[in-house]
């Protein structure tokens, strides 16, 4: 799994998403863009990929596309419309773009796809920036419905709770 961190300036969201899909198809990888304000850390996305792969292998996936299945796990929900909130939107947005070969292999195709994503232009531009782990705590708490009482009751951080929500999605099916 490669992660491309950037600030995206998206002029045409549909065109941006389509271009990411084309890059994925060209290189035989999955490409999914996230609004970095919702991504608590790398482990959040790694676990989402792992669980999406398992669901697909078992035929238990909700989404037809692997990128959307990964998005569902990252959002901790089976509702595609709700999960889309974790995606990028038009305008300027701190972004993490996930590029993954799907078979656990790390290799040339994944590296080339990550380079292609970095060089993206047209419907969007990506300006390299450190965005991973720079999440918006209030936004994350609201999206994942984490209240003060829950934060006080757990022996961990907000990031720990989010990663737990990702893992618990399988239990809720």
């Amino acid at each position: 799994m490669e992660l491309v961190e950037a600030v995206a300036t998206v002029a045409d969201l549909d065109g941006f998403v389509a271009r990411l899909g084309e890059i994925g198809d060209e290189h035989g990888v999955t490409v999914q863009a996230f609004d970095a304000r919702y991504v608590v850390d790398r482990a959040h996305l790694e676990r989402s990929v792992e669980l999406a792969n398992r669901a697909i292998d078992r035929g238990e996936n909700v989404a037809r596309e692997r990128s959307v299945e990964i998005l569902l796990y990252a959002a901790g929900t089976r509702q595609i419309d709700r999960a889309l909130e974790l995606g990028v939107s038009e305008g300027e947005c701190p972004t993490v773009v996930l590029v993954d070969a799907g078979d656990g292999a790390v290799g040339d195709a994944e590296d080339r796809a990550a380079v292609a994503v970095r060089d993206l232009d047209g419907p969007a531009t990506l300006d390299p920036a450190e965005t991973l782990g720079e999440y918006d705590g209030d936004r994350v708490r609201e999206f994942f419905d984490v209240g003060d009482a829950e934060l006080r009751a757990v022996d961990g951080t907000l990031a720990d709770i989010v990663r737990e929500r990702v893992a618990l999605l399988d239990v809720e099916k």
Side-chain angles (χ1 to χ4, degrees):
M1 178 179 83
E2 292 274 338
L3 297 177
V4 176
E5 299 176 64
V7 173
T9 304
V10 180
D12 173 11
L13 183 60
D14 291 337
F16 176 60
V17 171
R19 182 64 189 126
L20 293 180
E22 290 168 4
I23 291 169
D25 291 345
E26 289 168 17
H27 298 284
V29 297
T30 298
V31 181
Q32 178 63 53
F34 294 89
D35 181 329
R37 296 173 293 182
Y38 292 97
V39 178
V40 296
D41 56 18
R42 181 180 184 88
H44 178 184
L45 296 180
E46 287 173 339
R47 187 68 172 148
S48 299
V49 169
E50 177 185 328
L51 293 171
N53 287 343
R54 187 173 72 183
I56 292 166
D57 290 345
R58 293 178 176 176
E60 298 172 350
N61 48 304
V62 170
R64 289 180 297 235
E65 294 180 27
R66 183 169 178 263
S67 60
V68 177
E69 191 71 15
I70 292 169
L71 180 66
L72 289 169
Y73 274 96
T77 183
R78 289 311 213 182
Q79 302 300 315
I80 292 174
D81 287 344
R82 174 112 172 99
L84 289 173
E85 192 172 323
L86 264 70
V88 298
S89 54
E90 289 187 352
E92 191 173 282
C93 180
T95 304
V96 177
V97 182
L98 180 147
V99 180
D100 187 71
D103 57 7
V106 177
D108 189 47
E110 195 168 321
D111 293 340
R112 283 184 286 125
V115 169
V117 167
R118 284 185 196 96
D119 293 341
L120 183 73
D121 61 10
T125 58
L126 296 176
D127 295 317
E130 292 184 24
T131 58
L132 190 60
E134 299 295 323
Y135 63 91
D136 179 328
D138 291 336
R139 183 181 297 260
V140 169
R141 286 182 62 178
E142 182 179 334
F143 182 84
F144 288 96
D145 194 27
V146 178
D148 291 335
E150 183 176 7
L151 273 172
R152 285 191 306 272
V154 299
D155 186 26
T157 65
L158 178 58
D160 295 325
I161 293 170
V162 169
R163 288 189 302 268
E164 182 176 302
R165 295 275 163 79
V166 169
L168 288 175
L169 185 59
D170 275 340
V171 175
E172 295 175 359
K173 284 198 248 187

